Amino acid sequence: MRSGHLDIPAVLRAPLSATALALTAHVAPAGTWLPGLRRTFLPGLAGLGEPDHVALTFDDGPDPRSTPRFLEVLDRLSVHATFFVLGEGLRRHPELGSAIVRRGHELAVHGWTHSRPWLPAPGRDLREISRAAEEVRRVSGVRPQWYRPPYGILTGGRWAAALRCGLRPVLWSAWGRDWAADATPEDVLATVRGQLYGVGDTILLHDADLSGADRWRPALAMLPELVGGLRAEGLTVGPLADHGLRPGRGRRVSTAVTGRRPEVTGRAPAGIRGGHGPARA
C-alpha cells in the first residue's frame, strides 16, 4: 500500500462495484419524492390528470376508529375517492375494505406494512406488494390499478415490484401535512390550497394515524370546505380511476430555473388558492 492511498485488492473491487450499483439503483428513483422533479419530468407520477378534475386520495387505512368517519363525510358530500390501504390493515378489517368499495370508492395498494425502505430488498418488496395487491383483489373483487409507497419513497425495488404486479405508481401533487402533531383543520386546508395549480392535481390526505394519536381529525374536519371550494371553481372531485391518467402520459407543467412555482397556462382557481406557498416535502 502506497502512502496515503488505499489499494483495494482486485478480488474485492467487483463486489464493491456491484454493491454501489445496487445502492444507486435502489436510491436514485426515490428522488421522485421531490415534488418539483416529478411535476416537471414525471407528471403522471405526480398524479396530474385532466385539468378539470381533482383526484382525492387517502393513505394508511383502513382503521375502524377513523375510516368509517371519512366514509360518512364523503357520503354527505357525494364524493368518491381512492383509498391506498395497507395489506395488514385490510386483512384485519376486510369489512372496512368492503364498505369502501360498496360506497363507490376505489381501493389501491399502499404496501403490506408502513415500512421504511432503508436497504435494497427487491425480493421482499415483490412479496409484500404482491401480497397486498392480492388482498385488495380478494376484498374488492377487482385487481387494483395503483400503488403508492409508504412515505412516498419509490425505490427502484418497489417501482419494479409494482410494475411486475400490474400496478401503476402514483404519488401526489398536493398534500395537507395532516400527519403533523400540531396540524389544525385550517392549517391542512391552507397547505392543500397552497399547492393546487388547477392542472389536474392529486391530493394526498390520511384516513388513519398509525401512531394512534388521532391525527386524522384535522383532515376530516376540513374536507367539506375543501370539496366545496373545488366545486365552486367548476372542478370535479373524484378517484384516480376517473382522473384521466394513461400509461406513459400526464399533463406536463414547466418549472422555472429559479425553483419558483410551476408556470401553467392560465391561473390556479382563485377559490382554492391560499396565502401559503407549497409545503416543504
Side-chain angles (χ1 to χ4, degrees):
M1 180 175 69
R2 291 174 293 178
S3 178
H5 177 74
L6 179 61
D7 188 11
I8 300 175
V11 71
L12 296 179
R13 290 175 192 161
L16 288 174
S17 297
T19 300
L21 287 173
L23 287 172
T24 300
H26 174 70
V27 173
T32 56
W33 186 83
L34 299 170
L37 186 151
R38 64 177 179 265
R39 271 184 173 275
T40 303
F41 299 106
L42 296 166
L45 182 62
L48 300 184
E50 297 298 329
D52 59 350
H53 187 271
V54 174
L56 183 60
T57 69
F58 297 93
D59 283 9
D60 292 0
D63 187 325
R65 296 170 300 175
S66 52
T67 301
R69 299 171 187 251
F70 281 84
L71 295 179
E72 290 171 6
V73 170
L74 292 171
D75 274 355
R76 292 200 298 270
L77 296 171
S78 298
V79 170
H80 293 150
T82 299
F83 286 78
F84 285 87
V85 297
L86 294 170
E88 64 173 3
L90 191 61
R91 173 64 64 87
R92 288 197 302 267
H93 307 289
E95 74 285 355
L96 289 179
S98 297
I100 290 171
V101 174
R102 186 171 60 252
R103 298 190 186 202
H105 306 289
E106 181 180 33
L107 287 181
V109 176
H110 197 36
W112 187 256
T113 63
H114 207 276
S115 59
R116 294 181 185 271
W118 295 122
L119 296 173
R124 181 197 63 200
D125 291 336
L126 180 58
R127 287 192 302 273
E128 293 191 353
I129 293 173
S130 175
R131 186 182 180 192
E134 176 57 26
E135 192 68 21
V136 169
R137 187 208 62 77
R138 185 184 68 82
V139 170
S140 68
V142 297
R143 292 178 59 86
Q145 296 186 62
W146 319 105
Y147 170 67
R148 178 182 291 155
Y151 306 102
I153 301 176
L154 189 59
T155 62
R158 288 181 169 182
W159 203 326
L163 295 179
R164 286 191 61 182
C165 293
L167 301 170
R168 177 171 179 175
V170 177
L171 299 183
W172 62 87
S173 60
W175 67 353
R177 294 182 64 88
D178 49 339
W179 38 261
D182 59 350
T184 66
E186 294 77 17
D187 292 339
V188 174
L189 182 62
T191 301
V192 172
R193 283 174 166 171
Q195 298 172 71
L196 294 175
Y197 302 100
V199 290
D201 288 285
T202 290
I203 297 173
L204 161 63
L205 297 169
H206 295 80
D207 68 303
D209 177 15
L210 300 178
S211 74
D214 289 352
R215 293 177 184 170
W216 45 266
R217 292 184 182 277
L220 181 69
M222 54 75 75
L223 267 179
E225 188 172 352
L226 173 66
V227 172
L230 293 168
R231 285 174 166 166
E233 295 297 334
L235 298 171
T236 302
V237 184
L240 282 169
D242 298 338
H243 199 43
L245 293 177
R246 295 177 177 83
R249 297 182 61 185
R251 305 197 65 83
R252 179 148 184 164
V253 296
S254 61
T255 303
V257 176
T258 59
R260 292 193 300 268
R261 297 179 67 166
E263 299 171 357
V264 298
T265 302
R267 63 180 180 86
I272 60 173
R273 291 184 62 173
H276 294 67
R280 183 180 297 274

